[in-house]
Amino acid sequence: MHARKSRMSASPVAFAVAAALAAVPAARAQQAGANPEGLEEIVVTAQKREQNLQEVPIAVSVVNGSLLDAVGGFNTESLKRLVPALNIRKTNTAINQALFLRGVGTINFAIAAQPSVAFVLDGVVMASSGEAFGDLYDVDRVEVLAGPQGTLYGKNASAGVVNVVSTKPGNVLDGYADLAYYQDNEVRLRGAVDIPLGDKLKTRTTAFWGSFDGYLNNISDTPAGGDANGYDRWGARTIWVADPTDNVKLTFIGDYRKSDDNCCAEIIGNAPTGANAAALAKIWSGVQFKGVETRDIKQNLAMKSTEEAWGLSLQADIGVFTDYTLTSITAYRNWDATEYREGDWKDIPAPYVGTAFAQQHDYGPQTLDTFSQELRITSPGGQFIDWVGGLYYANTNSDRYFRRDDVVCTASTLAADSTGSVPCEQGKSTYIYPSANAKFGATFDTFAAFADGTVNVTDRWRVIGGLRWTQDDLSYYHNYNFSPVAGPGVRAAPAGTPPEKLKGDDTSDQVSGRAGLQFDVTDDVMSYFTYARGYKGPAYNVFFNMGPNNTEVLDPETADSYEIGLKSTLLDDRLILNIAAWDAQYSNFQANNYTYLNGTLITTLTNAGDVSTQGVSVDFLARPFDALSLSGGIAYTDAKVDKFFTPPGQKPTVANDTQLPLAPKWKGSLAADYTMEFGEFNVVPTLVFSYTGDQYGDLNEPPALLMPSYSTLDLAVAISDKPGRYRLTLYANNLTDQSYAVLMTAASGAPSTGGAPRLQIPREADRVFGAEFRMNFGGSR
């Protein structure tokens, strides 16, 4: 189905030479209205007020919406190839996916735990990492703030923030519509329209739809066979901005999205080995094992992930006390997600333990509702003290049902498996059907008060300081219905045993904050040194197989981070060059430990110990001459375990100095576009090179499961008329056809896969060609 494959790799040293100035915050000035004498000012809201990026004493990477369009990026996953500090854990469903910054993130399956990287959409903090993985459409910019940001963004920002800002309504009737088609029948439609309704009210409404058959081939003869790892999704957003008076601005945003994805199946890349190799080879007959180039699966349950999400928010900005601004953001969000998981990766029962063969399928719908209210007041800029202070409240309720269905067979004919006969043949085997289910949930109530400011001591010296007090009220419940018979990955009890009911609650509070110095070396060079205290709230390990031994509350995770940085604007505003170095220590790190339950590897969320991350990043944006724009970035990150907690009487599962998962030491990106004029047309080719170093997918992985480094090269060529009414863009993503895995994990109960690891292969691991046609209408924005 997929012809394979040329290979390309790049060492970090070679990359550093090729991108000596590099690191994509991936900030790129928009071409329209750009200053021919230099770069446009980049405005961000990282500190809850509009500021020039070069004045902000934080390592901030900015991905402009125009760059996302240029490279065909349409979801959160596309950001990781543009921002070196950012990585993503991609799994079979959005429920279990996570964001990582500077090598730190949260991997867990517990409903009563929260992320380390906050995802913020138009001023509203998402309660779960899973909510971050919808489509990115009609985006003005994405700001990525690396390092603890709890002072202004709260408890879910102990490792950083991804802040998405949507395009706001314009002042004239305006809009666009575009159609994109990529090989393997991938189709995307998008459109937006600005409608001004008088001098005091304007709106912008955006809609999208996308469909893709998939890039894996399920060769099973069961109904699950066919294309896999595709999607079908659509959504809309409307933004209304009203200015009823000169000092009042109201912004209402409503959004809705729905997806039905047959995604994301894991592949078994290597042929089985060991005692069960012959039986497994027979079961997987027809699968072409090619390592990371494998695109075949053979499963009788279509891996599936569905989502329905919507949200409403109202932001009021009111001028008070002459030049101060009172801001209120009231929001409600709902997220429903369901996973259908193939847990044995085959289409018939396969080796389990002893002479038993088993099959495992999971079903798990989850709902999450969040109400939040932020109230803050911001001083005018340019004063002796520039400050912001406020209050924050959020209530989150999450509920989940999870069912695991096994099929286990035993038969005397199993002794013949060593000759390659198919196990568990109907009429020749004895079957049992273990099945267990649980209903569980959690409630978070968060109260916070915060203040942050900058004292402008002199024209060049500034003192930075901020504090945030947070109180967390957390409660959970867990009701477990035992399986009447034993099976892989379920807890069993005799028939008639009543459900096991657990519940608990905890209240804790914490103070986080930051302090630092900022000094203007020259008018064009700013330096800073900061200390930040990060905080992630308490948690309970509430998951499907939770038992009485998992009921202790996990202590809050804290971070102590030091950062030194230099931001410079050089060469007559044609070069922005920013450098940051950091050293962060995390205590009571919340992470998964591992144990086996009836032959299936399961995870247990614990205070795993102490970890640290140190490193340096370099970001740049340049316009050597008016037609050429360059942007890039490179980051070196040393994120590791300092001391891992081992329960008394048990052997250590993770050694000290172990590299943290999804924390490559080297990661970088380089983007370039060049504008060429041909009569009445402009032609703009854009190249994006991305490099990711060696990394592990989880904490307890042996050296054999190290995912090797990979690099990709994407090309887009945009052809447009000079007035900008029409644009045709041709895409060639992953030009070198470099195949790679973004997640490699040990098999659950290794005998079930013959010792072979499971691989998560993204769509971007194939060379893909496509085209997009856009029509713009109305007045110029």
Side-chain angles (χ1 to χ4, degrees), residues 37 71 167 177 240 413 428 432 496 509 549 581 597 616 732:
E37 299 300 323
V71 300
T167 303
W240 296 62
T413 57
K428 298 182 180 179
I432 58 174
D509 65 292
N549 59 333
L597 177 64
V616 61

Side-chain angles (χ1 to χ4, degrees), residues 311-637:
L312 303 171
S313 70
L314 177 63
Q315 177 170 332
D317 296 296
I318 305 169
V320 295
F321 310 126
T322 308
D323 294 324
Y324 290 76
T325 302
L326 177 66
T327 299
S328 169
I329 303 177
T330 307
Y332 177 82
R333 297 204 62 84
N334 174 267
W335 181 56
D336 294 342
T338 302
E339 68 168 317
Y340 301 79
R341 178 176 178 269
E342 169 65 78
D344 60 284
W345 313 284
K346 307 169 196 69
D347 63 351
I348 59 174
Y352 157 43
V353 290
T355 57
F357 281 62
Q359 184 168 275
Q360 185 181 96
H361 292 165
D362 297 337
Y363 166 72
Q366 177 174 325
T367 63
L368 185 145
D369 299 279
T370 302
F371 169 81
S372 63
Q373 174 66 58
E374 181 172 345
L375 189 67
R376 66 176 186 264
I377 188 166
T378 307
S379 72
Q383 306 296 305
F384 177 65
I385 302 178
D386 297 332
W387 60 271
V388 59
L391 303 171
Y392 179 80
Y393 169 75
N395 171 265
T396 299
N397 291 286
S398 186
D399 295 282
R400 191 171 195 194
Y401 172 81
F402 192 95
R403 187 184 72 239
R404 174 162 289 167
D405 297 320
D406 295 336
V407 177
V408 178
C409 68
T410 58
S412 58
T413 57
L414 291 182
D417 287 338
S418 60
T419 66
S421 64
V422 177
C424 296
E425 296 183 50
Q426 292 289 342
K428 298 182 180 179
S429 305
T430 302
Y431 288 82
I432 58 174
Y433 300 92
S435 178
N437 64 79
K439 186 175 182 181
F440 45 99
T443 298
F444 295 86
D445 277 304
T446 300
F447 307 84
F450 61 91
D452 187 80
T454 300
V455 180
N456 298 296
V457 180
T458 70
D459 289 343
R460 294 188 179 278
W461 282 99
R462 288 174 287 283
V463 177
I464 306 159
L467 289 174
R468 187 184 189 100
W469 171 83
T470 303
Q471 177 178 300
D472 286 306
D473 295 333
L474 169 61
S475 62
Y476 79 90
Y477 73 92
H478 187 276
N479 299 330
Y480 192 90
N481 292 300
F482 295 94
S483 172
V485 292
V490 298
R491 299 168 61 207
T497 301
E500 179 183 79
K501 296 184 178 182
L502 305 171
K503 63 180 181 179
D505 60 79
D506 179 77
T507 297
S508 65
D509 65 292
Q510 188 77 228
V511 174
S512 54
R514 66 172 183 155
L517 293 174
Q518 187 175 348
F519 175 66
D520 294 339
V521 181
T522 69
D523 291 342
D524 299 318
V525 179
M526 182 271 284
S527 62
Y528 65 91
F529 173 76
T530 56
Y531 162 79
R533 173 78 167 181
Y535 162 73
K536 187 171 76 170
Y540 284 101
N541 186 30
V542 182
F543 69 115
F544 167 53
N545 274 311
M546 180 184 188
N549 59 333
N550 299 122
T551 58
E552 291 188 5
V553 65
L554 277 69
D555 292 331
E557 176 183 300
T558 59
D560 293 289
S561 175
Y562 297 88
E563 180 170 313
I564 186 169
L566 194 72
K567 295 192 172 185
S568 55
T569 305
L570 308 170
L571 303 179
D572 296 324
D573 296 336
R574 288 190 175 273
L575 172 65
I576 290 175
L577 180 64
N578 297 337
I579 304 171
W582 70 89
D583 186 338
Q585 311 291 322
Y586 287 78
S587 299
N588 290 323
F589 185 61
Q590 296 176 5
N592 282 333
N593 254 325
Y594 298 85
T595 186
Y596 281 92
L597 177 64
N598 297 331
T600 295
L601 188 69
I602 64 171
T603 59
T604 301
L605 185 67
T606 64
N607 284 122
D610 300 331
V611 304
S612 62
T613 172
Q614 297 91 29
V616 61
S617 62
V618 182
D619 299 342
F620 94 98
L621 173 65
R623 182 169 292 154
F625 47 91
D626 293 347
L628 177 64
S629 292
L630 301 171
S631 59
I634 190 166
Y636 172 79
T637 304

Side-chain angles (χ1 to χ4, degrees), residues 1-2 90 184 212-217 227-230 263-265 295 760-766:
M1 181 176 174
H2 295 265
K90 181 178 177 64
D184 296 328
F212 175 43
D213 293 340
Y215 57 94
L216 297 187
N217 182 25
D227 293 324
N229 283 20
C263 195
C264 292
R295 296 296 182 269
Q760 189 64 250
I761 306 293
R763 162 75 156 161
E764 295 76 20
D766 291 319

Side-chain angles (χ1 to χ4, degrees), residues 246-308:
D246 290 342
N247 65 340
V248 176
K249 179 180 180 181
L250 302 175
T251 304
F252 169 80
I253 303 177
D255 65 84
Y256 175 88
R257 64 180 176 91
K258 188 172 185 178
S259 65
D260 186 358
D261 303 346
N262 62 332
C263 195
C264 292
E266 301 160 307
I267 68 164
I268 307 298
N270 300 327
T273 59
N276 298 312
L280 290 169
K282 190 73 173 181
I283 292 171
W284 280 325
S285 62
V287 173
Q288 300 182 53
F289 296 106
K290 300 179 180 180
V292 295
E293 297 178 7
T294 303
R295 296 296 182 269
D296 292 338
I297 59 175
K298 193 174 184 181
Q299 303 174 0
N300 65 343
L301 178 68
M303 198 85 85
K304 188 175 178 181
S305 178
T306 66
E307 292 182 75
E308 185 174 20

